[in-house]
Amino acid sequence: MEGNTISSSAAEEISGRWAAARAQPIGKAYRDGTDRAVSPAATLARVSPAMTAAGITRVANVTGMDRIGIPVWCAVRPASRSLTVSQGKGVTGDAARASAVMESLELWHAETHHLPLRYDTHRALAASGEAVLDPMTLVRCPCSEYAADRPMRWVRGWDLVGGRPVWVPYEAVHCDWRVPVAPGDHAVQNGSNGLASGNSLLEATVHALCELVERDAIVAAQDAGDLLAARRMVRPETVADDACRDLLGRFRRAGVDVLVWDLTSEVGVPVFNCLAVETDTPWYHPLPQTQGSGCHPRRAIALSRALTEAAQARATVIVGSRDDIGRDRQSWYFDPEQRRAVGDAVRDRPERDYGQTPDLDHGTVNEDLDWLLTRLTTAGIGSAVVVDLTIPDLGVPVVKAVVPGLRWRPWEE
């Protein structure tokens, strides 16, 4: 554990690292269903040494376990401290395989306690004049025992809005889900929302922020009671992107109904949510209804992520590989009432045009990040903190974003 005085050299190191990262323009050389600096094949080649260090023993293609044909892969880490099996999806096999591997590596980085920590109270940190996130502004766990004078673990992150180092509750960052818990835990919600990797620090950060905006938009729609509202439902014939039209066609040819809703919130970053349901599945051989969601400045990528995630969820439930699905969630996948409700919705007339969704196509990842921060601050978000989990010797950029004011619910992970 670190002492109770912030190290000026450590703060300067964090500041210098982020200044260097943001000063280097990062182009988008790969744009097939996602924006990346290099192709998925190149990413896999670069991170392959880290797979051994992380304990990934198997990477499997489970696409054929379903009949839709949208690529789904999984990566297995038997010694995981969170999820043993991580899923990945994409418009190509390489993209899905890279997605699974990177998801597993993200979790491993968040399970590995390699960052300097501080054990202190929020009251003491705030009184000392150091920048610190107030746990009361973060997503709280139902069993929260937080108090301002209760010591807990803190880790240093970087506030992209304020441009300064800031202390973050470590419970909101790590993914070591073993018991017993550490002293001071049960203060904020622990989970993997906002955990992301990439080919660079900025690429990982954009992905992490998009995930948090996506989950917050879903919560906002749930709270407003219009998660499945016809006014938000997208008319499929208005989808102009060829790749998304191909994904929709794969579902349709497999006999699976897909309903898409535009859940873009006041933040203004495109968010889509979809349900994939077989309304005529025979009672003796039911297949799961699944949902998927996605967020990105480019609406085509946001929709592609939602559609491929729904396909990934289907394959995952069919295979039975996800090791944190409880009985309630499992029952939802096969709930006949929900299936009938979706059948009724299919007969309703969607009211929204795909072209009404915002669409920003920037040339660099840097511009994506700047635009996301502008959208967040315009929506009243005062801090967007990112903890760099990258292990230098492995060189796989991994971050955990913690943004006060953006909400999520644990089952959405």
Side-chain angles (χ1 to χ4, degrees):
M1 296 288 181
E2 197 168 332
N4 283 350
T5 302
I6 188 170
S7 166
S8 60
S9 61
E12 290 170 2
E13 190 276 331
I14 292 176
S15 177
R17 189 190 324 152
W18 280 97
R22 298 193 70 173
Q24 179 65 39
I26 301 171
K28 302 174 180 179
Y30 183 84
R31 312 201 76 185
D32 188 4
T34 187
D35 281 354
R36 299 293 182 186
V38 299
S39 69
T43 298
L44 284 166
R46 183 175 60 81
V47 305
S48 58
M51 294 170 60
T52 300
I56 297 176
T57 60
R58 183 184 179 204
V59 183
N61 183 357
V62 296
T63 308
M65 297 300 290
D66 198 1
R67 65 175 186 275
I68 296 174
I70 294 174
V72 179
W73 284 64
C74 63
V76 183
R77 267 187 318 123
S80 170
R81 297 174 179 178
S82 55
L83 296 178
T84 300
V85 182
S86 297
Q87 286 73 35
K89 77 282 187 185
V91 298
T92 68
D94 277 349
R97 185 180 181 189
S99 174
V101 169
M102 296 299 275
E103 181 115 347
S104 188
L105 290 175
E106 291 165 13
L107 282 170
W108 179 75
H109 279 75
E111 297 166 1
T112 306
H113 302 283
H114 58 284
L115 298 178
L117 303 179
R118 177 168 173 169
Y119 189 67
D120 213 332
T121 68
H122 177 263
R123 192 187 305 280
L125 282 170
S128 69
E130 298 184 21
V132 56
L133 286 189
D134 184 351
M136 293 294 290
T137 66
L138 305 180
V139 177
R140 307 280 297 285
C141 62
C143 56
S144 179
E145 301 170 357
Y146 170 72
D149 56 356
R150 184 171 183 255
M152 57 193 293
R153 295 178 295 173
W154 301 84
V155 65
R156 194 183 288 113
W158 180 256
D159 186 352
L160 294 165
V161 175
R164 59 180 181 173
V166 60
W167 291 106
V168 183
Y170 186 53
E171 190 176 21
V173 174
H174 75 82
C175 287
D176 185 350
W177 298 343
R178 299 174 300 175
V179 292
V181 298
D185 281 0
H186 288 164
V188 298
Q189 184 66 56
N190 176 262
S192 62
N193 275 304
L195 178 65
S197 57
N199 295 292
S200 66
L201 193 60
L202 294 197
E203 194 177 277
T205 299
V206 166
H207 185 68
L209 292 177
C210 283
E211 183 170 87
L212 289 179
V213 171
E214 167 197 317
R215 304 301 163 81
D216 179 73
I218 292 173
V219 173
Q222 289 172 332
D223 289 349
D226 62 353
L227 183 66
L228 306 180
R231 69 179 186 85
R232 289 181 174 268
M233 195 186 304
V234 176
R235 295 191 292 122
E237 66 271 18
T238 67
V239 175
D241 179 73
D242 289 341
C244 290
R245 290 175 68 88
D246 177 69
L247 292 172
L248 288 167
R250 293 191 187 196
F251 279 105
R252 184 174 60 253
R253 289 189 293 273
V256 180
D257 292 316
V258 179
L259 281 66
V260 177
W261 288 266
D262 179 354
L263 299 187
T264 304
S265 67
E266 63 179 9
V267 177
V269 185
V271 175
F272 290 102
N273 188 55
C274 69
L275 279 174
V277 179
E278 294 184 55
T279 54
D280 59 350
T281 298
W283 64 269
Y284 53 85
H285 188 204
L287 287 170
Q289 58 190 352
T290 57
Q291 69 174 34
S293 53
C295 172
H296 194 272
R298 285 176 59 197
R299 66 183 173 222
I301 292 179
L303 180 54
S304 176
R305 285 179 176 174
L307 294 170
T308 54
E309 185 173 270
Q312 171 189 280
R314 245 178 83 101
T316 299
V317 177
I318 292 170
V319 174
S321 58
R322 176 111 180 184
D323 41 344
D324 68 338
I325 296 177
R327 178 173 295 180
D328 289 346
R329 190 65 179 156
Q330 185 72 17
S331 297
W332 181 90
Y333 288 125
F334 299 95
D335 180 9
E337 291 298 324
Q338 176 74 12
R339 198 179 302 276
R340 278 191 287 272
V342 171
D344 293 340
V346 170
R347 291 186 288 273
D348 291 339
R349 179 64 179 170
E351 298 178 9
R352 190 164 184 85
D353 249 23
Y354 172 75
Q356 294 176 256
T357 307
D359 186 32
L360 276 296
D361 188 0
H362 302 121
T364 65
V365 176
N366 311 58
E367 292 171 287
D368 280 345
L369 178 57
D370 290 341
W371 182 76
L372 284 169
L373 293 175
T374 298
R375 296 311 313 155
L376 288 170
T377 54
T378 301
I381 300 296
S383 296
V385 180
V386 178
V387 178
D388 185 0
L389 300 175
T390 307
I391 297 175
D393 290 344
L394 291 180
V396 180
V398 178
V399 302
K400 182 62 160 42
V402 182
V403 181
L406 294 186
R407 301 159 295 167
W408 55 276
R409 291 181 175 134
W411 64 266
E412 290 162 1
E413 295 186 289

